[in-house]
């Protein structure tokens, strides 16, 4: 059997002493695949070094071998905080207003991708399957090919793929996208992002594309396909029944004293639509004064990417907004929004989800959105809560039985909240049963298995046959 080489910006393999529950679902699934196939998980250590040496820190824990490199501060500024998170992330989330184009970012991105190729290249043996993760590493496959690598290479993009009209605002977009075609398999979260990608390939690069996503380029065939990611269903549902989850369930229930609870859980990121969500909730309170005192919104928003200015800005904006809404509506015994700027262990989170009558998942744009799936998985099937989900999340395509909303319309979201609060138990169970089946079946183990199976089945580069 082939070995598997996973390459991602950061590595999140099990630590020697780390509990399984400390890893996210994706990390658990990739670690499991690496355990099955053998192989290596390669990426940036998260540490900085004054001068890049290419030194590999190799470790082996719980059957998974990891190899990490340190980067220079300039690399981190230009590649990670720069091109990845100030150029590609906003652009891929349709936010050209926030997208920054800086020549140094582009150079830093290429330099770090070359450093990745130099460092991981020698670890790859003939016959290994190489699986590259996400927007940080789009040109990596072509840099590996430049070193003569003939292995099968797959790339999975966790974000949306933007419409061609937006993508062409990126300087040197053709070069970036063409470099991706060094892969054998390119995976997207949904058919929508896949279609946008194929549209670009057809209209901008003028390459032949078959109806099932095969692209002809330089005598090779590249397959583009949708592989919707899921959660680690078994682990998450087990966690939701743990004593820690029960304790957090009780804590939230008791502290809200019989009120209806809405929950949002998101990295602090402008793509998650947090400001619009608070506005919508504020509007609900104003529009439904008779219900207002009976609801509480718990918004958990752990900070992320704090070195990027737009993320510092959103943090300030949200604190102000939550303060305004609370100031306008609260009384001595009740505050409508509990805005919490920190993270919680996964099991505690599962208890909070279970205690919430409504899951409010309203990103402005999201590759998939796993919070929506976790919320559904954590519910009591006999008395489940209602998922309100943005139609602009990739997850909406798989979860049509959620209450789908346009997150930009505070009126629509306010009406959806009222609808969800009034929903009969029968309808809640009916919707939840269908949602749960989809979350259970399209779990992250199946996602990993499908991607690797497809990659293994690709015809290897000619001189490997
Ligand atoms: C990217 C794409 C795609 C959040 N707060 C806490 C916490 N979380 C966990 C959630 C969930 C994960 O973080 C967030 O996943 P999402 O899918 O919602 O979003 P991104 O982080 O933007 O992920 C996204 C995903 O990649 C996978 O392909 O779905 O579209 O943007 O699992 O539970 N976890 C813990 N404490 C917290 O406070 N432990």
């Amino acid at each position: 059997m082939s070995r598997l080489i996973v390459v991602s910006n950061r590595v999140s393999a099990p630590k020697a002493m780390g509990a399984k529950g400390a890893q996210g679902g994706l990390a658990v699934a990739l670690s499991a695949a690496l355990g099955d196939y053998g192989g290596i998980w390669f990426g940036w250590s998260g540490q900085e070094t004054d001068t890049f040496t290419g030194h590999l820190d190799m470790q082996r824990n719980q059957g998974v071998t990891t190899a990490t490199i340190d980067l220079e501060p300039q690399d981190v500024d230009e590649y990670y905080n720069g091109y990845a998170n100030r150029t590609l992330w906003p652009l891929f989330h349709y936010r050209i207003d926030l997208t920054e184009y800086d020549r140094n970012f582009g150079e830093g991105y290429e330099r770090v991708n070359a450093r990745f190729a130099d460092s991981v290249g020698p670890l790859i043996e003939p016959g290994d399957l190489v699986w590259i993760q996400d927007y940080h590493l789009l040109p990596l496959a072509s840099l590996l090919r430049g070193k003569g690598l003939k292995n099968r290479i797959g790339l999975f993009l966790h974000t949306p793929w933007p419409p061609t009209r937006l993508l062409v605002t990126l300087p040197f977009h053709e070069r970036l996208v063409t470099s991706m075609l060094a892969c054998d398999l390119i995976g997207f979260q949904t058919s929508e992002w896949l279609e946008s990608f194929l549209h670009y390939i057809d209209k901008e690069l003028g390459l032949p594309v078959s109806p099932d996503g095969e692209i002809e380029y330089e005598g090779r065939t590249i397959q583009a396909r949708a592989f919707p990611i899921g959660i680690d269903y078994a682990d998450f549902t087990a966690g939701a029944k743990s004593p820690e989850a029960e304790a957090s369930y009780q804590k939230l229930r008791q502290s809200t004293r019989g009120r209806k609870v809405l929950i949002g859980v998101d990295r602090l990121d402008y793509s998650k639509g947090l400001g619009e969500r608070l506005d919508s909730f504020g509007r609900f309170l104003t529009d439904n004064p008779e219900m207002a005192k009976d609801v509480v919104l718990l918004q958990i928003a752990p900070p992320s990417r704090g070195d990027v200015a737009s993320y510092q800005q959103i943090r300030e904006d949200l604190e102000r907004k939550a303060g305004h809404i609370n100031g306008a509506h609260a009384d001595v015994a009740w505050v409508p929004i509990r805005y919490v700027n920190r993270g919680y262990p996964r099991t505690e989170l599962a208890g909070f989800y279970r205690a919430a009558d409504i899951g409010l998942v309203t990103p402005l744009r999201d590759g998939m959105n796993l919070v929506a799936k976790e919320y559904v998985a954590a519910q009591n099937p006999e008395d489940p809560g209602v998922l309100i989900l943005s139609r602009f999340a990739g997850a909406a395509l798989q979860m049509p039985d959620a209450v789908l909303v346009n997150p930009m319309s505070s009126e629509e979201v306010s009406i959806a909240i009222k609808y969800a609060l009034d929903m009969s138990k029968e309808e809640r169970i009916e919707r939840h049963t269908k949602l749960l089946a989809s979350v259970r079946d399209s779990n992250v183990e199946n996602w990993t298995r499908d991607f690797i199976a497809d990659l293994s089945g690709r015809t290897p580069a000619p001189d490997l046959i």
Side-chain angles (χ1 to χ4, degrees):
M1 189 165 77
S2 314
R3 292 193 317 166
L4 178 65
I5 309 291
V6 173
V7 189
S8 56
N9 172 55
R10 292 292 302 277
V11 169
S12 171
K15 307 276 181 300
M17 304 300 290
K20 190 185 175 213
Q23 278 187 297
L26 173 62
V28 170
L30 291 176
S31 299
L34 283 161
D36 291 347
Y37 282 77
I40 298 167
W41 191 345
F42 174 86
W44 171 38
S45 60
Q47 305 294 316
E48 295 182 9
T49 177
D50 288 343
T51 310
F52 180 75
T53 60
H55 169 74
L56 280 175
D57 181 10
M58 308 271 299
Q59 297 202 11
R60 191 166 167 80
N61 286 311
Q62 299 175 36
V64 178
T65 303
T66 56
T68 54
I69 50 170
D70 299 345
L71 294 176
E72 292 176 8
Q74 190 184 351
D75 292 337
V76 178
D77 275 356
E78 294 174 353
Y79 148 79
Y80 181 69
N81 290 324
Y83 201 78
N85 287 330
R86 287 161 73 174
T87 308
L88 292 182
W89 178 270
L91 175 63
F92 282 14
H93 289 85
Y94 298 32
R95 293 298 301 267
I96 47 175
D97 56 321
L98 296 176
T99 305
E100 296 175 51
Y101 305 108
D102 182 322
R103 175 180 282 267
N104 293 331
F105 292 173
E107 286 172 6
Y109 186 72
E110 290 194 11
R111 183 176 64 247
V112 171
N113 270 271
R115 289 183 164 172
F116 267 54
D118 290 343
S119 306
V120 75
L123 303 177
I124 303 172
E125 296 170 4
D128 287 351
L129 299 173
V130 181
W131 189 2
I132 299 168
Q133 306 285 327
D134 229 357
Y135 63 102
H136 311 88
L137 302 172
L138 301 182
L140 180 62
S142 78
L143 294 162
L144 290 170
R145 294 283 186 230
K147 293 179 172 302
L149 209 87
K150 306 289 184 202
N151 301 57
R152 293 168 216 197
I153 306 182
L155 165 71
F156 183 80
L157 191 68
H158 292 261
T159 65
W161 185 268
T164 302
R165 280 178 197 176
L166 299 187
L167 186 54
V168 295
T169 62
L170 179 73
F172 309 113
H173 53 88
E174 304 91 340
R175 195 168 80 195
L176 183 71
V177 182
T178 305
S179 74
M180 293 166 66
L181 300 179
C183 295
D184 301 292
L185 177 63
I186 305 178
F188 297 90
Q189 299 273 24
T190 69
S191 56
E192 188 177 345
W193 318 137
L194 171 67
E195 280 161 21
S196 294
F197 179 74
L198 295 176
H199 181 269
Y200 178 94
I201 298 291
D202 173 27
K203 299 290 181 231
E204 290 295 319
L205 301 185
L207 297 176
V209 175
S210 79
D212 58 355
E214 288 186 341
I215 303 161
E216 299 299 327
Y217 178 61
E218 292 188 335
R220 296 167 45 247
T221 303
I222 298 104
Q223 174 77 57
R225 257 192 67 185
F227 295 88
I229 200 168
I231 61 168
D232 184 349
Y233 180 79
D235 187 61
F236 196 84
T237 46
K241 294 183 187 124
S242 67
E244 293 86 353
E246 178 59 24
S248 63
Y249 171 91
Q250 291 299 347
K251 189 161 76 181
L252 185 52
R253 277 289 183 200
Q254 282 162 16
S255 71
T256 48
R257 300 165 184 233
R259 293 191 169 90
K260 297 285 183 188
V261 178
L262 291 79
I263 192 168
V265 176
D266 310 76
R267 272 187 314 101
L268 199 53
D269 191 300
Y270 46 82
S271 67
K272 303 294 181 185
L274 290 160
E276 290 76 1
R277 187 179 310 165
L278 296 188
D279 285 342
S280 300
F281 183 64
R283 176 153 187 171
F284 168 80
L285 298 176
T286 305
D287 289 353
N288 300 279
E290 72 294 350
M291 292 174 102
K293 297 270 184 294
D294 296 327
V295 294
V296 171
L297 169 63
L298 170 62
Q299 176 62 55
I300 296 174
S304 73
R305 304 177 192 168
D307 292 334
V308 178
S310 49
Y311 287 76
Q312 294 155 8
Q313 186 63 45
I314 185 196
R315 186 169 179 167
E316 285 171 23
D317 291 350
L318 287 171
E319 278 164 12
R320 200 174 315 117
K321 200 163 267 197
H324 271 306
I325 297 172
N326 279 342
H329 294 277
D331 66 25
V332 285
W334 166 75
V335 175
I337 301 175
R338 296 183 185 181
Y339 175 65
V340 190
N341 231 213
R342 53 161 283 204
Y344 288 87
R346 294 178 67 72
T347 42
E348 276 188 49
L349 214 52
F352 292 145
Y353 286 136
R354 198 175 177 89
D357 302 278
I358 297 178
L360 203 47
V361 184
T362 54
L364 304 182
R365 199 65 59 178
D366 217 330
M368 176 55 66
N369 193 295
L370 296 180
V371 169
K373 299 189 173 189
E374 290 167 359
Y375 177 77
V376 167
Q379 296 308 298
N380 171 5
E382 281 155 27
D383 191 10
V386 180
L387 175 65
I388 297 180
L389 177 61
S390 162
R391 59 180 66 249
F392 305 136
L397 271 78
Q398 288 185 299
M399 305 178 89
D401 293 291
V403 176
L404 296 180
V405 291
N406 172 0
M408 315 286 264
S409 164
S410 59
E411 183 182 10
E412 196 177 318
V413 177
S414 162
I415 290 169
I417 294 172
K418 168 102 172 46
Y419 181 77
L421 289 171
D422 290 341
M423 192 182 285
S424 69
K425 191 171 175 182
E426 233 179 352
E427 183 177 347
R428 282 191 281 122
I429 292 176
E430 196 181 316
R431 286 175 180 264
H432 179 259
T433 306
K434 293 183 192 153
L435 290 170
L436 190 66
S438 140
V439 172
R440 186 190 54 223
D441 296 343
S442 82
N443 59 50
V444 75
E445 290 85 357
N446 291 347
W447 172 80
T448 316
R449 190 201 55 208
D450 290 351
F451 191 95
I452 295 173
D454 200 331
L455 184 60
S456 322
R458 301 275 120 220
T459 311
D463 50 359
L464 275 183
I465 299 174

